[in-house]
Amino acid sequence: MSVLPSSVSRLVQPFAHRDYALLVSAMITSTFASGMWAVAMVYQVRRLGGGPLDLSAVATANSIGLLAFVLLGGIMADRYSSRKIVILVETLFFIVMTTTAVLALSDSLQLWHLMITGFLAGAGGAFFYPAYSALLPRMLPADQLLAANGMEGTVRPVVQTALGPMLAGFVVAAFSPAYAITAIAACHLAALIVLSFIRTRKEYDAPAPENDAGHPSVIRQLREGIGYTMRTSWLRWTLFFSIISVFTFIGPFEVLLPFIVSDHLQGDAKLFGYALAFFGAGSAIGSLLIASSRFPRRYLTLMTACWCFGTLPLALIGYVDAAWMLFLILLVFGVTDAVGMVIWGTLLQRRVPKKLLGRISSLDFFVSLALMPVSMAVAGPLSQVMSLQAIFVIAGVVSPVFGLLAWWAGKFAKDELANPLDQPAEVDS
């Protein structure tokens, strides 16, 4: 048998499960809406006369919403029905975006409205993603999780950072941001309809298994999740590295990239959409490459190397003078980021006990993104006292230093050989 048919078969195998196919379809539709929001929000802020400081405020509100609720979201995913949580969150998204669209179409939208929308969108994500992560292992066998994560990592960036932003860019350029927000609301309605067709099954709605004492308090559950994280070297050091890495690049990437496009390249919403599309294409390529392969033996080393050295091209963003240069940088960044993310998602699902998966997933979000609102809040004011070139240089070179430190201190090379995942294995106790 040739390599290609085997790889394709491995990728599509999870879609034989009807409920997984529905879940991932809804997730993709919702993610498409998020991709549109990334562009619609930027140009709605600019339509209101806002600059980098205002954009920082809206982006920071989104991050605060995520961080404020993500730990609670993980506990809820372990205590209650993951299926019902994703449906309730999608309902929230639909209501919030519909309200925002009505305000925008009636020219009643103000900056503080966008901040509330961003906050609620972040809060919804805080409940959605831990529940989604906890639901996947209940729908699929362990040996199909890499393919599922890889397929998600292939399709999700295409719609979130490519197709969604591109469509939003065209709608904004042809009409206005208000019409793009209206389309976002319609996407969330479609996702909600698809989720309603997932069957009601005991394994989807039952809480995570607990010990004989039954369900402990919320505080005790949170303490258990934190305790497991602190005892587990590969998990602890990866999250430490993530804090530093996210802080240094997420603010410049989310807040200042639109101004690289407009001020350095004299581009509009369509060019910004194209830039995000190349990042999405790179993410799709990276996800497809890792998902169509066997799980790597040196999974911690490969994951860290991709996240370390994948940020180096960002150091050149402030010096680009042609669109193709920016596209190439974002393509490379997308490939490396996606390879690391697919390995990481599968690693959590394979090595973290199922009863802790929701909590650990939420802790992953919380710790990895703990400084994200700070990064976004700082990026705008920092651009007033430092050049964009200097800011992006810092964003590109810090991650390699701290990534190598985490790899060494966490003894990743020894750990991955002692716990191979290229064959079926029990999760850590």
Side-chain angles (χ1 to χ4, degrees):
M1 181 180 294
S2 66
V3 175
L4 181 58
S6 176
S7 300
V8 172
S9 175
R10 188 180 296 115
L11 282 170
V12 301
Q13 197 173 16
F15 286 93
H17 302 267
R18 171 185 176 273
D19 290 337
Y20 166 76
L22 290 170
L23 177 66
V24 77
S25 297
M27 182 275 297
I28 289 171
T29 305
S30 184
T31 303
F32 182 87
S34 298
M36 293 188 68
W37 174 250
V39 172
M41 178 267 291
V42 168
Y43 288 93
Q44 184 64 60
V45 169
R46 302 197 74 171
R47 185 180 180 88
L48 296 174
L53 295 178
D54 300 296
L55 187 54
S56 282
V58 177
T60 301
N62 180 272
S63 302
I64 291 174
L66 174 64
L67 291 174
F69 292 99
V70 71
L71 294 180
L72 180 61
I75 293 172
M76 294 299 102
D78 285 339
R79 291 175 71 96
Y80 301 106
S81 166
S82 297
R83 180 186 64 86
K84 291 179 181 177
I85 289 174
V86 296
I87 290 175
L88 287 173
V89 170
E90 204 56 51
T91 303
L92 171 68
F93 286 155
F94 169 64
I95 294 173
V96 168
M97 289 301 172
T98 298
T99 303
T100 305
V102 170
L103 290 172
L105 289 169
S106 62
D107 289 326
S108 302
L109 192 67
Q110 299 179 33
L111 185 66
W112 68 270
H113 292 138
L114 287 175
M115 293 176 66
I116 292 177
T117 298
F119 178 84
L120 293 176
F127 288 92
F128 185 92
Y129 291 108
Y132 178 86
S133 297
L135 195 54
L136 276 187
R138 302 182 186 194
M139 289 185 169
L140 297 173
D143 61 357
Q144 293 183 18
L145 290 174
L146 178 65
N149 289 319
M151 181 57 71
E152 175 194 343
T154 301
V155 178
R156 185 171 171 176
V158 170
V159 298
Q160 184 170 22
T161 59
L163 299 181
M166 284 177 63
L167 178 60
F170 281 116
V171 173
V172 169
F175 303 100
S176 72
Y179 285 93
I181 298 173
T182 302
I184 291 168
C187 288
H188 285 301
L189 176 60
L192 183 59
I193 293 172
V194 172
L195 286 173
S196 69
F197 286 99
I198 295 179
R199 291 171 291 190
T200 303
R201 302 184 65 175
K202 181 179 179 180
E203 56 266 38
Y204 303 162
D205 293 333
E210 289 290 344
N211 53 34
D212 295 337
H215 284 288
S217 67
V218 168
I219 298 300
R220 181 180 171 186
Q221 282 191 300
L222 178 59
R223 191 164 57 242
E224 288 176 351
I226 295 174
Y228 179 84
T229 300
M230 297 306 297
R231 293 192 306 270
T232 308
S233 181
W234 62 267
L235 184 56
R236 181 176 69 251
W237 280 101
T238 301
L239 293 181
F240 165 74
F241 162 56
S242 297
I243 290 175
I244 304 300
S245 181
V246 168
F247 174 71
T248 54
F249 81 76
I250 196 69
F253 187 85
E254 293 285 346
V255 175
L256 302 181
L257 187 60
F259 295 94
I260 291 287
V261 171
S262 61
D263 298 346
H264 285 215
L265 301 177
Q266 288 73 52
D268 58 7
K270 286 190 287 186
L271 183 59
F272 180 57
Y274 284 136
L276 293 184
F278 272 85
F279 173 72
S283 298
I285 293 170
S287 299
L288 189 62
L289 288 174
I290 190 66
S292 59
S293 307
R294 292 185 181 276
F295 201 83
R297 175 74 164 170
R298 294 282 190 175
Y299 53 92
L300 288 170
T301 298
L302 178 59
M303 178 187 73
T304 307
C306 286
W307 282 344
C308 274
F309 302 112
T311 64
L312 283 175
L314 296 181
L316 302 175
I317 282 184
Y319 298 94
V320 299
D321 57 9
W324 69 266
M325 296 179 183
L326 178 61
F327 296 164
L328 181 60
I329 289 171
L330 296 180
L331 181 72
V332 173
F333 180 50
V335 170
T336 54
D337 181 64
V339 170
M341 288 301 296
V342 172
I343 294 174
W344 176 245
T346 308
L347 176 57
L348 291 180
Q349 292 162 354
R350 292 286 300 275
R351 290 191 60 180
V352 172
K354 285 186 172 62
K355 70 177 184 178
L356 293 173
L357 186 54
R359 277 165 280 176
I360 299 303
S361 295
S362 68
L363 280 170
D364 170 33
F365 270 100
F366 182 80
V367 175
S368 299
L369 304 180
L371 296 180
M372 183 173 72
V374 180
S375 179
M376 291 182 175
V378 166
L382 192 62
S383 68
Q384 306 300 306
V385 297
M386 291 180 64
S387 67
L388 293 181
Q389 289 90 340
I391 294 173
F392 276 101
V393 167
I394 294 172
V397 302
V398 169
S399 289
V401 175
F402 283 90
L404 290 173
L405 173 63
W407 179 85
W408 173 78
K411 301 179 180 178
F412 286 2
K414 181 179 179 181
D415 185 283
E416 62 196 356
L417 292 178
N419 298 277
L421 293 182
D422 52 350
Q423 57 190 13
E426 296 295 327
V427 298
D428 294 348
S429 60

